[in-house]
Amino acid sequence: MDRYVAVRLRRTGAVIVADARRCESFLCRLRGLMFRRGLRPGEALLLREAVAGRLATSIHMFFVPFPIAAVWIDDAGRVVDKVLALPWRPYYAPRAPARYTLEAAPDLLERISVGDEVDFVDVPPAAGR
């Protein structure tokens, strides 16, 4: 069963992503957003790696036909980098080691900054996901 989290800014408590699916397995991280037509409002993926690093949290945009916000977060919940990832680009990596990659709609980039701290809050399963 998939697990979902809300992503909340620590300093204000504002929820910036309401419905992020946790991707912890290799297959979930490998598939990511490939072959999707888009994201539902508020939908996102939270990819978690076993160890923090730059290479392990790098992403590609092959077979993702829409732009996304990619936000990299370290073990402490601090945003270490963010970028607008464009379709069919081969490689994006954070400037600093990260443990998590948050993939969401591009408007997320307006609501979050490098240096912000976030918390992941478990949300109950919802019908229709």
Side-chain angles (χ1 to χ4, degrees):
M1 175 187 230
D2 290 332
R3 291 181 41 208
Y4 289 81
V5 295
V7 182
R8 183 176 62 195
L9 286 175
R10 214 173 271 167
R11 66 182 153 79
T12 65
V15 173
I16 57 171
V17 174
D19 198 24
R21 181 168 60 107
R22 292 182 69 115
C23 281
E24 297 182 359
S25 73
F26 173 76
L27 288 176
C28 185
R29 291 190 318 268
L30 177 67
R31 171 126 193 255
L33 295 172
M34 290 191 306
F35 310 110
R36 299 273 307 266
R37 291 179 188 228
L39 293 169
R40 295 184 321 269
E43 180 185 19
L45 288 182
L46 179 65
L47 291 76
R48 179 184 177 273
E49 293 297 330
V51 295
R54 291 187 64 232
L55 185 58
T57 54
S58 66
I59 64 169
H60 69 81
M61 293 293 289
F62 294 128
F63 306 104
V64 181
F66 52 93
I68 64 168
V71 177
W72 289 277
I73 303 163
D74 69 11
D75 281 320
R78 190 169 132 297
V79 174
V80 297
D81 202 0
K82 67 178 189 170
V83 68
L84 177 65
L86 300 174
W88 297 97
R89 299 305 196 277
Y91 182 77
Y92 290 97
R95 289 182 265 185
R99 178 76 173 267
Y100 302 91
T101 306
L102 180 61
E103 298 180 348
D107 66 330
L108 174 63
L109 297 174
E110 300 167 10
R111 299 189 312 272
I112 196 164
S113 300
V114 173
D116 282 348
E117 294 179 340
V118 299
D119 291 312
F120 307 123
V121 182
D122 288 328
V123 295
R129 275 196 188 128

